[in-house]
Amino acid sequence: MVDFAKRNLFKGSTSPSPNKPTLPWLKDPDTFFEKCTRCSKCTEHCETHVIKHSSGGFPSIDFSEGECTFCYQCAEVCPESLFINQDSSPWDNKANISDACLADKNVECRSCADACEPMAIQFQLRIGQAAKPAIDSDKCNGCGACVAICPTSAINVTVSDMDETEYGT
C-alpha cells in the first residue's frame, strides 16, 4: 500500500492526495486510492477528456480544458466496483469564484454564465460597476464548464463535503 503522506513530502506537500476527489459517482472516495487499479479505462472513455492521470497514475478530474457531462462512461468501463448507480447524485461539488474575477476589476465579462447549462451563475447588477457573478449552489452541479472558459482563472470547483478542497485548475 502506498503511503501518500510520505510521497507528498518529496513534492513539498504535507496534505495527502487522496483528499482530492477524482471521479463522479464514487461509492467511497476515502477508499478510492486503495481500490483503483489505475487501468486507464476511465481516462480513455471520458467523452470530454477531463479525466486525467494525476499523482501515482490515479485518475482525477481536470477542468482546465473542459467539463464533465455526466455521461457515466467512466463508471461503465471500470472493472472495479468503485461507483454507485447513475440515478444517484454524481457528487457534491460546487463552483466558487475568487476575487480574480474581472467584475471585481470593473470589467464586464459573462463567459462563465454563458457556459453554465443549469444557469447556476447569475449576474447581480451594480450601479456604476460591472455586474458581479453569483453562484446559486442549489443549481450548480459542479460540472466545471465555467472553469476553462474564465479568462482570469477565477473559478474553481470545490468539494462541499471535504472542507472545500479545491481542484480542477
Side-chain angles (χ1 to χ4, degrees):
M1 184 160 165
V2 176
D3 185 341
F4 289 98
K6 287 181 182 176
R7 175 184 290 173
N8 286 329
L9 284 174
F10 292 108
K11 292 192 233 173
S13 172
T14 56
S15 61
S17 299
N19 288 342
K20 289 187 177 182
T22 53
L23 307 174
W25 291 289
L26 283 180
K27 276 184 189 174
D28 185 6
D30 295 331
T31 62
F32 172 75
F33 290 91
E34 295 171 20
K35 295 180 179 178
C36 176
T37 61
R38 298 173 279 184
C39 69
S40 299
K41 289 184 180 184
C42 58
T43 56
E44 294 167 4
H45 288 86
C46 178
E47 70 180 20
T48 57
H49 308 289
V50 294
I51 301 176
K52 308 281 184 184
H53 291 287
S54 65
S55 179
F58 288 99
S60 67
I61 299 290
D62 178 1
F63 293 128
S64 65
E65 295 179 29
E67 67 186 277
C68 180
T69 59
F70 305 111
C71 66
Y72 202 69
Q73 290 182 38
C74 54
E76 288 177 341
V77 299
C78 182
E80 306 303 318
S81 61
L82 299 174
F83 298 90
I84 58 176
N85 190 301
Q86 185 177 12
D87 296 335
S88 304
S89 176
W91 51 32
D92 192 23
N93 299 337
K94 304 295 176 191
N96 296 292
I97 302 173
S98 75
D99 59 4
C101 178
L102 288 174
D104 288 336
K105 317 293 187 259
N106 206 25
V107 175
E108 189 69 34
C109 173
R110 296 188 184 213
S111 298
C112 56
D114 292 341
C116 184
E117 188 175 318
M119 295 177 26
I121 303 174
Q122 299 293 317
F123 281 79
Q124 301 168 342
L125 298 177
R126 303 183 300 173
I127 297 173
Q129 296 179 321
K132 187 169 177 97
I135 298 176
D136 181 341
S137 61
D138 291 334
K139 289 183 181 177
C140 180
N141 61 14
C143 71
C146 56
V147 174
I149 198 91
C150 180
T152 60
S153 301
I155 304 176
N156 290 307
V157 174
T158 60
V159 181
S160 298
D161 61 351
M162 287 188 183
D163 300 326
E164 301 295 312
T165 303
E166 288 186 10
Y167 78 102
T169 58

